[in-house]
Amino acid sequence: MSPLAVIPNAHSTSPITSLWILWIRYTGRENETLLKLHQKLGSTIRLGPAEISIVDIKRGVKQIYGAKFAKHESYNRFRNHNGTPTLFTMLPSDLHQKRQRMVANLLSQSYLQRSLDLKFFMRQIIFERLLPMIEDNLNRDEPLNMAEVNDAVTVDMITGYCFGEFAGTNLLQDVGLRREFLAYHHEERSYGFWLQKLPFLTSIATTLGFRIVPNASGWLDRWFLRSCEAARLGSQGQSPVLRPVIYDHFATRFIKEHGHGSQNSLAMVAELHDHCVAGYETTGQMLTLMMQALSCCKDVQQNLRREIHSLPSCPFFEGNSGAPDIPAPATLAGQPLLHAILIETLRLRDRGPLPRVTPSPSVHIAGLPPLPSGIRVSAASFVLHHDCHVFPSPNTWNPMRWLQGIGASEKNGEMGQSFLAFGSGSRPCVGRDLALYEMGAVLAAIYANYETSLVEKQETCVEDFSGKRVKRLEVTFSKIGRL
């Protein structure tokens, strides 16, 4: 008898086939389905013949995301450039740790805090591109589609930091490239089910001439190849504040480990491509969801404005008087309400489970009998983030929940343990500090200078962040003075 037989079945067919859970994933109902099943059946459920879901923080989640559990093969679907493995897609933990050491320091808050390059790019993008665009639309009394604008600003930020000013994008001002770049990116991501859940079938169909997934990745692969070459040429003789920071860092490390010529190898290009996608895919959508919520909650918006205006380095923009300073990463991270808005929105965002595989020869977890190697296990962050015992009224966007008794409340500690937006254990998101800084800086600059409102008769969905990607968010701006 299978050791999984003692686990409650998510569906009557779960012990014999994975077809049920594949259908749930294909129809985009995985998060909501897992939430209902865990509420009904408990912290551990069986999804397929060799797959389980565990949401027991103390006895399961921490162990699943420890070093012994490798990533599941479904991560291969995220590989680009002919399936080249990267930091995010490397399955064995030892290979991941080696590659992680290449980049961890570069993305740490201490490095970001003293980076003149990052300060330059952030000021340029926010005060020379983003806010002038908002001012122009304000003067013409027209709303802005901030879903598209937020995607553009985050692409510009990460590609500028990665490839330098001249090799990075300028999607905010180049409307044609903006729409082409984002269209290819969203098209590629929209077919993720086939690549991640049914890679073998997708490969067979492609071999036989039936392309299930459009070749959007080809356009993006070529763009990143060109950007790497432009960064290589641009890094020779440029001033320190214009250099391609992430490119130069990786080039130095690849040359040290693999010799000259490796700085533009497919492995390095794929790694840079992966870092850029990770740097803009989530942050742009998160900014859109935060602006959506803040535009409907004017009291929170007003309190955020007061917090930002109290900063010595308040990013108040007066047009002809020059660009103000961007508050440093540590400064923004220390603003209680701003930080609460960031993590509350991250808590509510739609995210699927991050699967791992049980190690050899067997493992004890969550009080279960020994599980053999090769069992797919995961903890659904959506389920943990919607646990009403930890997060009262879990579907409500309420950043104030994070401000009640910080540092002293046992409840806040429980919320912190259940918060998995950046992963957990030995392989968390290495770009966490950069992502929080980018989002915090954009929010600080916008709400230091404007009040935002949603266009009338527009669906807001403030109570529901679990739906499909927000593709359009029409926002109007009103200029405000110093408080």
Side-chain angles (χ1 to χ4, degrees):
M1 184 174 69
S2 168
L4 276 63
V6 299
I7 303 172
N9 294 317
H11 189 265
S12 59
T13 62
S14 294
I16 57 175
T17 178
S18 295
L19 288 176
W20 172 81
I21 189 61
L22 282 174
W23 174 252
I24 293 298
R25 287 168 179 154
Y26 176 72
T27 54
R29 296 179 289 132
E30 183 174 18
N31 283 333
E32 294 79 3
T33 301
L34 289 181
L35 177 60
K36 292 177 182 178
L37 286 169
H38 276 293
Q39 289 172 340
K40 178 182 178 182
L41 301 174
S43 62
T44 305
I45 57 176
R46 186 179 188 179
L47 304 179
E51 180 178 0
I52 60 176
S53 174
I54 300 176
V55 291
D56 187 324
I57 287 288
K58 295 181 179 179
R59 300 192 304 161
V61 175
K62 292 182 179 179
Q63 193 173 351
I64 290 171
Y65 296 110
K68 292 183 179 180
F69 285 64
K71 284 188 170 181
H72 187 263
E73 63 181 8
S74 59
Y75 279 86
N76 289 334
R77 100 92 174 148
F78 295 103
R79 293 181 176 183
N80 49 57
H81 298 275
N82 300 319
T84 306
T86 61
L87 177 68
F88 180 66
T89 61
M90 287 177 173
L91 305 186
S93 295
D94 55 342
L95 294 178
H96 174 271
Q97 289 171 0
K98 183 179 179 181
R99 183 64 60 85
Q100 186 179 33
R101 286 193 290 270
M102 275 192 175
V103 70
N105 178 63
L106 184 68
L107 298 174
S108 67
Q109 189 180 92
S110 59
Y111 186 95
L112 301 176
Q113 181 76 12
R114 62 178 184 271
S115 174
L116 294 177
D117 309 279
L118 182 62
K119 182 178 181 179
F120 171 82
F121 286 125
M122 298 288 275
R123 288 184 67 189
Q124 181 190 61
I125 291 168
I126 291 175
F127 295 114
E128 296 180 21
R129 302 182 194 176
L130 176 61
L131 294 198
M133 173 189 288
I134 292 174
E135 287 285 331
D136 182 54
N137 275 64
L138 192 155
N139 293 333
R140 290 188 282 114
D141 195 26
E142 294 179 357
L144 265 176
N145 176 15
M146 290 307 296
E148 183 178 293
V149 171
N150 287 328
D151 283 346
V153 73
T154 52
V155 173
D156 285 357
M157 283 179 174
I158 189 61
T159 59
Y161 193 49
C162 184
F163 299 118
E165 180 187 12
F166 301 115
T169 59
N170 185 0
L171 302 191
L172 282 171
Q173 295 177 328
D174 188 338
V175 179
L177 179 60
R178 179 204 308 170
R179 291 180 177 162
E180 184 177 29
F181 189 103
L182 295 177
Y184 277 115
H185 169 72
H186 295 319
E187 181 182 28
E188 180 188 33
R189 288 310 194 222
S190 66
Y191 289 85
F193 169 83
W194 296 99
L195 291 168
Q196 188 175 5
K197 313 303 180 186
L198 297 172
F200 182 73
L201 176 61
T202 304
S203 177
I204 292 295
T206 302
T207 302
L208 295 175
F210 301 98
R211 182 170 290 281
I212 297 175
V213 181
N215 193 26
S217 59
W219 187 95
L220 292 168
D221 285 353
R222 290 189 294 274
W223 187 91
F224 280 100
L225 280 166
R226 292 194 301 269
S227 294
C228 282
E229 180 60 18
R232 183 185 69 81
L233 297 173
S235 65
Q236 301 170 1
Q238 291 216 6
S239 63
V241 295
L242 296 175
R243 68 189 182 94
V245 179
I246 299 179
Y247 175 89
D248 280 355
H249 180 87
F250 268 106
T252 301
R253 295 300 183 92
F254 267 78
I255 289 172
K256 182 178 179 180
E257 290 194 13
H258 306 290
H260 285 279
S262 63
Q263 65 269 33
N264 268 21
S265 66
L266 205 57
M268 181 171 148
V269 175
E271 192 66 66
L272 293 170
H273 183 158
D274 202 46
H275 277 280
C276 286
V277 171
Y280 64 72
E281 182 173 43
T282 300
T283 49
Q285 183 69 176
M286 286 302 306
L287 281 169
T288 297
L289 293 173
M290 282 183 272
M291 292 190 69
Q292 175 179 275
L294 284 165
S295 296
C296 296
C297 303
K298 294 300 177 70
D299 55 335
V300 180
Q301 188 177 150
Q302 181 68 14
N303 289 334
L304 175 63
R305 186 171 299 112
R306 289 195 187 98
E307 184 175 84
I308 297 167
H309 277 236
S310 70
L311 296 175
S313 54
C314 173
F316 190 75
F317 182 60
E318 297 182 274
N320 296 330
S321 62
D325 281 335
I326 293 286
T331 301
L332 289 180
Q335 303 311 303
L337 181 55
L338 176 61
H339 186 68
I341 289 169
L342 291 171
I343 58 176
E344 175 68 355
T345 314
L346 282 161
R347 180 187 72 82
L348 282 167
R349 81 180 177 95
D350 181 15
R351 177 180 181 171
L354 303 174
R356 298 291 189 267
V357 178
T358 53
S360 179
S362 63
V363 64
H364 286 84
I365 186 170
L368 298 173
L371 297 179
S373 62
I375 301 297
R376 174 173 169 156
V377 294
S378 60
S381 59
F382 183 88
V383 176
L384 291 165
H385 293 172
H386 288 75
D387 184 344
C388 61
H389 301 293
V390 180
F391 301 100
S393 301
N395 292 324
T396 300
W397 185 81
N398 176 23
M400 303 308 292
R401 74 172 81 240
W402 298 94
L403 302 178
Q404 298 164 359
I406 287 184
S409 169
E410 181 181 348
K411 192 68 175 177
N412 191 69
E414 191 176 8
M415 290 197 304
Q417 290 181 15
S418 297
F419 182 72
L420 297 184
F422 291 103
S424 180
S426 62
R427 300 181 68 163
C429 174
V430 295
R432 176 185 185 277
D433 291 325
L434 178 59
L436 288 173
Y437 182 48
E438 288 178 343
M439 293 187 291
V442 171
L443 282 185
I446 288 177
Y447 288 102
N449 293 279
Y450 307 99
E451 179 178 281
T452 63
S453 303
L454 297 181
V455 172
E456 292 183 6
K457 298 182 181 180
Q458 184 172 230
E459 292 184 5
T460 61
C461 302
V462 175
E463 296 291 321
D464 181 12
F465 283 75
S466 63
K468 295 182 179 179
R469 182 180 184 88
V470 178
K471 297 179 181 179
R472 192 164 194 86
L473 188 75
E474 297 285 347
V475 175
T476 59
F477 294 83
S478 302
K479 183 72 174 176
I480 54 108
R482 285 187 179 273
L483 297 180

